[in-house]
Amino acid sequence: MSQTDSPLGTAPVGKLVLQLAIPAMLAQFVNILYSVVDRMYVGHIAGAGDAALAGVGVCAPVVTMITAIGALIGFGGGPLMSIRMVRRDMDGARQIITNSFYLLLALSVLATVPLLIFKRQILFTFGCSELLWDYAQAYFTTYVSGTVFALLSYGLNQITMSQGFSGTAMRSVMLGAAVNIALDPVFIFALHMGVRGAALATVLSQACSTVYILRFLFSGRAAVRITRQSVNFGWM
């Protein structure tokens, strides 16, 4: 798909708003299902539903923080890339998306390592207790270990929307949600993994979403592809 295939700059404004906004809103709504579905299943764990649900809830601030890091790059790099696209500066647009990709990878490492090292201090700061520790640390450790997928899926989906392909971004999010809904009962109940299974299902669903969106952004279907060029902050 070439630059001319993107509706940005060619479609009427009213049509463009609906074409981009509706899939974007649906994607955001579906994204919420990750946490909602986890809690629905976790709350039904026999004999431990209340404590398990509370333990997962303690992890919510960190999950939100990880999402915010992805948004930092996605909502920042996406508009900058769109501006370059409008100016027909495709080299600059490619540099921005490549920089964003590498920044997401770097930030995933910078976030994962300290979170895992200081997980006890972090969880007790957010209200964990000894009673909830086993549940909270199991969910926290598994989820944080997959931070790279959370950052890439969220950040690159925003960048894909900024190219005008909100439908592709929506399908990526919906794929992840479907995988999460399917795997949660398998891991939590069938394999008796409990809250760790809920977190693992979420990580794998985000991995599927990441693979889907990366295949698009590395292919010729994207208006601006991720290229194998070095990081250059001169575009700022």
Side-chain angles (χ1 to χ4, degrees):
M1 187 170 283
S2 64
Q3 176 189 354
T4 56
D5 293 313
S6 173
L8 297 180
T10 58
V13 173
K15 179 182 178 181
L16 189 61
V17 168
L18 292 176
Q19 185 176 345
L20 297 181
I22 292 177
M25 289 190 300
L26 287 174
Q28 293 297 326
F29 173 76
V30 172
N31 205 42
I32 300 298
L33 287 177
Y34 282 117
S35 59
V36 174
V37 170
D38 278 351
R39 283 159 176 76
M40 286 173 56
Y41 285 117
V42 167
H44 286 84
I45 295 177
D50 293 344
L53 190 58
V56 172
V58 169
C59 303
V62 175
V63 173
T64 301
M65 183 200 72
I66 291 173
T67 303
I69 295 174
L72 172 70
I73 305 302
F75 286 114
L80 289 174
M81 179 193 64
S82 297
I83 292 171
R84 298 305 192 283
M85 291 174 65
V86 171
R87 293 176 179 173
R88 305 296 179 181
D89 179 12
M90 300 308 292
D91 288 336
R94 281 188 288 270
Q95 186 65 67
I96 289 171
I97 191 174
T98 301
N99 285 355
S100 298
F101 174 64
Y102 287 129
L103 276 173
L104 287 168
L105 290 176
L107 288 173
S108 68
V109 175
L110 293 176
T112 301
V113 174
L115 285 174
L116 290 177
I117 292 175
F118 299 106
K119 64 181 176 181
R120 185 175 180 86
Q121 295 90 325
I122 292 170
L123 288 173
F124 274 83
T125 297
F126 290 131
C128 186
S129 65
E130 292 295 343
L131 178 63
L132 304 178
W133 168 248
D134 287 341
Y135 302 107
Q137 71 86 21
Y139 188 91
F140 184 93
T141 302
T142 305
Y143 185 89
V144 170
S145 298
T147 293
V148 61
F149 300 121
L151 290 188
L152 286 176
S153 62
Y154 195 86
L156 294 180
N157 271 319
Q158 301 304 320
I159 287 175
T160 301
M161 290 183 189
S162 296
Q163 293 191 23
F165 299 103
S166 56
T168 299
M170 181 186 68
R171 287 190 291 274
S172 171
V173 173
M174 292 184 70
L175 171 64
V179 171
N180 190 38
I181 292 171
L183 292 182
D184 260 334
V186 175
F187 289 160
I188 295 173
F189 302 115
L191 299 180
H192 307 289
M193 296 178 66
V195 294
R196 192 180 301 277
L200 181 59
T202 300
V203 169
L204 291 178
S205 64
Q206 291 171 339
C208 290
S209 181
T210 299
V211 170
Y212 183 92
I213 207 66
L214 282 176
R215 285 189 63 187
F216 174 78
L217 290 175
F218 274 105
S219 73
R221 294 177 294 155
V224 182
R225 298 173 54 193
I226 297 175
T227 55
R228 296 181 180 179
Q229 58 193 79
S230 60
V231 175
N232 181 3
F233 292 103
W235 52 270
M236 297 180 65

